[in-house]
Amino acid sequence: MQSYIIKGGEKLEGEVEASGSKNSSLPILAAAILNRGKTILENVPNIHDTKIMLDIIKLLGCEIEEDGNRVIIDSSSIENYEIPDELMRQMRSSVILAGAILARCKKATFSYPGGCDIGARPIDLHLKSFKTLGINILEENGEIFCDSENMTDGVVTLDFPSVGATENIILAATLSGKTIYIRNAAMEPEIVDLQNFINKLGGNVLGAGTKDIKIVGTKSLQKNIEYKIMPDRIEIGTLMCASAITKGNIKIKNVKIEHILPIVYKLEEMGCEITLKDDDITVIAKNRMKACNIKTMPYPGFPTDMQPIIATVLGVSKGTSIIVENIFENRYKYLAELKRMGAKVTIEGRTAIIKGIKKYNSAKVEATDLRGGAALILAGLNASGKTIISNIGYILRGYENIDKKIRKLGGNIYTREGE
Ligand code: EPZ
């Protein structure tokens, strides 16, 4: 098992480039299955989750070529329509492949993804939406068998603006030959990226980024296309917070400001000086941050994925902050590790009350999940002394070369095998 060894106390200063978005790459890799031609994707982050997704689409019959952050997918002949159970369990979000496989093969077999480190992660909204559209679903011993031969035109109204369910419906609808509307759709930028990819492929999706999406499904799509994945707004937010927690001065290149406005506003409220020039954002933290309150909400509200990360900055800010996690029911596990570094936190249900301390104490801690693990890196950078973070496999799922990026900014972080 790998660990990070961090010798904290350094200010992070300099320039760094954001990687491509994990949460946009995954649905677009699934969408490549819709194409009978060749898809070239640029800016795909080299992380564990994209590797799993590529393993699955290889098993379905696609030819894959990888060259750094470029992925070439030839999905002219898809033979298999089953997502293997062990890969479903490794990555819950592989459920969005179901929509793409259904579109292409008219059948899909997959298992219940099961809960994970931040909550139950049910897929009831996905299945309910499929049923509304005439997709036949049989569930037996944890396996789900879908068939979309009798798919109909329809309107799906989501009880909750689920990102994955919105993506799954768009994918299933694209080759259905039907006209499908989604009401109360998720509005995240990753949905817009998916729409842009599908439309470049020759599909017809309208309204992504709003609550109302219309898909005019066609019978098949075949085009050799190139597409560049959008930058990762959560990695960018993480690097912004790394500046805030080390009184740093960081310029992050390749940013889409409209994707990160809620993070910008909060960090400005906490005392950061933030400037933007072209696609570069500079975050300067001259002094210790001030406390502020956070409520996570669906986009364009404050993103839940940034909750552990900004909470860690608030843990060493002046004053008391109140955080309400409205999206996932179990996203405070990292706080137990942060308490080992001195954090003063009480949790009441979905609310965390954080009383700022001057500085974290270095300690031996364990990553509990992807974003909670990234939060511990920031705490280690703030603490003087040596912090060891074990279980960093969680972090490697969603951050490309995060240790290299931090070293480039003057941080002292190294990977050690075996801890
Ligand atoms: C996506 O997950 C992201 N993952 C998550 O990022 C992100 O936190 C989440 O959207 C919210 O923004 C990817 O894009 C790969 P949801 P997803 O469906 O699609 C409940 C990260 O750290 N729900 O919007 O799974 C669900 O339990 C990850 O990069 C149902 O109840 O999120 C949760 O409480 C973590 N039934 C809420 O909705 C369903 O059928 C939001 O889930 C589906 C979801």
Side-chain angles (χ1 to χ4, degrees), residues 7 15 83 113 170 193 243 275 286 310 312 330:
K7 287 201 185 65
E15 283 191 12
I83 307 175
I170 291 172
D193 221 21
S243 186
T275 49
K286 289 201 176 88
I310 203 156
T312 300
N330 186 21

Side-chain angles (χ1 to χ4, degrees), residues 5-13 246 381 403-414:
I5 315 297
I6 300 171
K7 287 201 185 65
E10 312 285 342
K11 288 179 187 297
L12 293 193
E13 297 178 322
T246 61
L381 290 168
D403 53 344
K404 223 161 97 185
K405 286 170 179 156
I406 291 172
R407 283 197 295 273
K408 183 169 183 295
L409 295 166
N412 188 329
I413 174 172
Y414 290 89

Side-chain angles (χ1 to χ4, degrees), residues 195-400:
Q195 168 179 283
N196 294 342
F197 172 78
I198 291 175
N199 290 347
K200 186 167 187 180
L201 189 50
N204 186 344
V205 184
L206 300 163
T210 75
K211 291 221 149 303
D212 296 317
I213 296 178
K214 176 182 179 184
I215 307 108
V216 180
T218 178
K219 282 291 175 216
S220 81
L221 292 169
Q222 176 158 357
K223 208 172 185 181
N224 294 340
I225 67 162
E226 291 204 26
Y227 189 82
K228 183 173 183 188
I229 301 287
M230 67 178 238
D232 192 311
R233 60 191 173 101
I234 305 301
E235 182 200 32
I236 292 163
T238 306
L239 293 165
M240 292 167 75
C241 286
S243 186
I245 204 168
T246 61
K247 293 193 186 137
N249 179 339
I250 296 181
K251 178 191 272 192
I252 306 163
K253 302 172 76 60
N254 177 20
V255 167
K256 281 202 184 335
I257 185 73
E258 64 274 19
H259 293 173
I260 55 168
L261 289 176
I263 306 167
V264 170
Y265 298 146
K266 276 298 166 190
L267 286 174
E268 282 180 333
E269 189 185 332
M270 290 162 65
C272 285
E273 281 171 36
I274 298 179
T275 49
L276 183 86
K277 188 170 178 307
D278 304 330
D279 286 348
D280 302 343
I281 190 165
T282 300
V283 181
I284 300 173
K286 289 201 176 88
N287 309 303
R288 186 179 167 207
M289 295 287 104
K290 298 188 292 278
C292 82
N293 296 335
I294 302 278
K295 277 191 173 62
T296 65
M297 296 300 282
Y299 193 89
F302 190 86
T304 174
D305 294 346
M306 282 299 301
Q307 178 261 101
I309 295 152
I310 203 156
T312 300
V313 184
L314 292 168
V316 285
S317 300
K318 245 183 290 177
T320 299
S321 304
I322 296 175
I323 295 180
V324 183
E325 171 52 63
N326 289 309
I327 308 294
F328 287 103
E329 72 275 17
N330 186 21
R331 201 163 203 175
Y332 287 132
K333 275 167 76 177
Y334 69 95
L335 286 174
E337 299 301 308
L338 216 51
K339 280 181 179 174
R340 293 162 66 92
M341 299 180 76
K344 297 246 176 306
V345 183
T346 47
I347 301 173
E348 284 156 29
R350 287 187 177 245
T351 301
I353 299 152
I354 300 183
K355 192 173 177 325
I357 59 172
K358 274 224 173 351
K359 203 187 242 307
Y360 287 115
N361 311 316
S362 50
K364 278 193 168 195
V365 289
E366 206 175 292
T368 54
D369 57 83
L370 165 57
R371 307 300 176 184
L376 294 175
I377 294 177
L378 268 53
L381 290 168
N382 171 270
S384 34
K386 184 165 94 166
T387 294
I388 298 175
I389 304 174
S390 58
N391 256 356
I392 64 169
Y394 280 115
I395 303 169
L396 301 175
R397 288 189 48 187
Y399 288 92
E400 182 181 50

Side-chain angles (χ1 to χ4, degrees), residues 2 14 48 54 78 80 95 114 117 123 167 179 254 282 337-338 389 398:
Q2 289 180 313
H48 184 267
L54 285 168
I78 300 264
N80 189 356
V95 68
D117 16 74
I123 58 169
E167 291 165 346
T179 299
N254 177 20
T282 300
E337 299 301 308
L338 216 51
I389 304 174

